[in-house]
Amino acid sequence: LGATHLRAIKVRTGREGIEIVSRTRLKVNEKNPKAVCRIIARALEKAGGPGQTVGVAAAAQLSADSRMVLNSPNYGWRNFDFATMLEETLGTRVIVDNDINAAAVAEAEYGAGRGFKSVLTVLLGSGIGAGLVLDGNLYRGATGVAGEIGHVKIRGPRSRRCGCGQRGCLEAYVGGINLAARLREDLERGVDSSLQEMFRDDPSRISTALMEKAALSGDRYAKRIWGQVAGMLGDSLANAVTVLNPDVLILGGGGFLHCPHLRDHVGTRVKERALSACGLVLNVRTAELGDDAGALGAAFLADKEHGVKLKRRYV
Ligand SMILES: [Zn+2]
């Protein structure tokens, strides 16, 4: 369940592993919880019925038991029992999880983390988040918000404000929405850059990918920002690797997938800057499951909750 669309997949699980039977994508043009539940019901009907159990991955902060949406900036929901309302609408068991957690589980089970014991997945998109999977189990932390790497502090309390309300968070500098806003501010101030033409044409097109493109073509301003972003990401992820010592670090999300140079640079910098005992053995991989990851992870978590033991294979 994204901000403006939902993507539904139906999967069949068995001895062979997990197989995607159908895919559906629907526009979500409502914010009212009941209306959103009805849109989910319609998507499941299109996908061939809700099946035995339903998993939903949502871009939201959830309670430790994953039933309550504590905060969903996309829908304006706060402290509301989404799982129960959806179970009543669908008449079947529902599990809800955070979209980054779900994608991290899917990458660990079926994607770039297959076969590793400890998998740290970092997704860079409109924001930035991470998920840690240990021996097939998602690590949630005491209140269910483990992995919120976007809100580690890289600047002091007088720096840029983040969507979480605090200042100096990594996300305030490298998250796609915040980075684009910062680029637009600089361009509006008249900074000398090849991005000015695009900015005058259509300011909404300014993105991390365009910044990387301009930096590669030699634009001095874009190069400076690119270097800053790469350094901030590399050092923050190196710190996470030093603390957690995972077998593999998976880099995914549109920000990394559309900026291959940024991704490569960050991977190299993490290995250099993490404590060498962690960095030397670290495998850095690119996410493999793309847009399916969130839905596939939600299906995996729903099936796991339902008591089915899945094999580590993605058909
Ligand atoms: Zn923050």
Side-chain angles (χ1 to χ4, degrees):
L1 178 63
T4 56
H5 286 83
L6 74 79
R7 173 182 295 270
I9 61 171
K10 184 166 190 175
V11 301
R12 188 182 294 132
T13 56
R15 224 169 276 184
E16 296 300 305
I18 188 166
E19 180 192 3
I20 296 180
V21 181
S22 65
R23 285 185 177 82
T24 309
R25 191 165 177 270
L26 281 185
K27 207 174 160 95
V28 183
N29 44 12
E30 304 263 7
K31 303 271 182 213
N32 176 290
K34 278 201 170 137
V36 172
C37 287
R38 279 197 296 271
I39 295 172
I40 293 173
R42 203 159 70 231
L44 295 181
E45 242 164 65
K46 279 185 78 177
Q52 275 180 300
T53 181
V54 172
V56 179
Q61 194 187 324
L62 298 160
S63 60
D65 67 358
S66 289
R67 299 207 51 91
M68 304 277 293
V69 170
L70 300 182
N71 185 13
S72 157
N74 290 336
Y75 291 90
W77 300 345
R78 275 181 181 271
N79 302 317
F80 135 77
D81 190 346
F82 181 46
T84 300
M85 182 183 275
L86 197 52
E87 281 178 346
E88 283 166 2
T89 310
L90 302 176
T92 187
R93 289 182 46 174
V94 170
I95 72 107
V96 181
D97 217 313
N98 170 273
D99 58 344
I100 306 258
N101 281 350
V105 165
E107 287 293 345
E109 290 294 325
Y110 311 117
R114 269 187 332 271
F116 290 106
K117 279 169 82 81
S118 50
V119 183
L120 178 63
T121 301
V122 177
L123 302 180
L124 177 65
S126 56
I128 178 169
L132 179 67
V133 178
L134 301 167
D135 286 325
N137 294 308
L138 181 69
Y139 177 73
R140 295 173 190 277
T143 54
V145 292
E148 287 284 2
I149 199 166
H151 308 287
V152 299
K153 303 298 178 275
I154 58 164
R155 289 281 191 273
R158 284 167 186 243
S159 51
R160 280 185 89 83
R161 189 183 283 282
C162 176
C164 72
Q166 296 192 332
R167 289 178 188 272
C169 297
L170 176 64
E171 183 166 295
Y173 291 86
V174 307
I177 290 173
N178 290 322
L179 177 58
R182 187 173 161 216
L183 293 168
R184 285 196 296 269
E185 278 167 30
D186 287 348
L187 293 167
E188 192 152 5
R189 260 204 307 274
V191 69
D192 179 23
S193 166
S194 59
L195 290 170
Q196 281 291 3
E197 201 178 314
M198 270 175 241
F199 174 68
R200 274 192 294 268
D201 256 16
D202 181 3
S204 69
R205 276 187 54 217
I206 297 297
S207 67
T208 310
L210 276 180
M211 185 261 303
E212 168 152 312
K213 211 172 145 202
L216 291 173
S217 70
D219 184 295
R220 279 178 61 190
Y221 163 74
K223 262 168 112 166
R224 182 165 62 79
I225 302 290
W226 188 95
Q228 251 180 36
V229 168
M232 288 168 170
L233 279 167
D235 288 355
S236 301
L237 301 196
N239 290 342
V241 164
T242 299
V243 172
L244 300 169
N245 190 199
D247 290 306
V248 59
L249 169 67
I250 300 174
L251 302 177
F256 280 129
L257 298 181
H258 298 142
C259 303
H261 292 267
L262 182 69
R263 188 184 68 225
D264 291 349
H265 183 93
V266 167
T268 307
R269 180 142 171 160
V270 169
K271 286 178 71 73
E272 282 168 7
R273 299 276 287 160
L275 178 70
S276 58
C278 304
L280 287 175
V281 297
L282 180 74
N283 296 279
V284 181
R285 300 269 165 98
T286 304
E288 289 177 1
L289 301 177
D291 291 338
D292 279 339
L296 201 54
F300 174 85
L301 289 165
D303 227 3
K304 201 172 172 197
E305 183 88 3
H306 206 68
V308 182
K309 180 93 184 109
L310 296 176
K311 291 259 170 62
R312 291 182 174 226
R313 204 171 135 214
Y314 170 45
V315 185

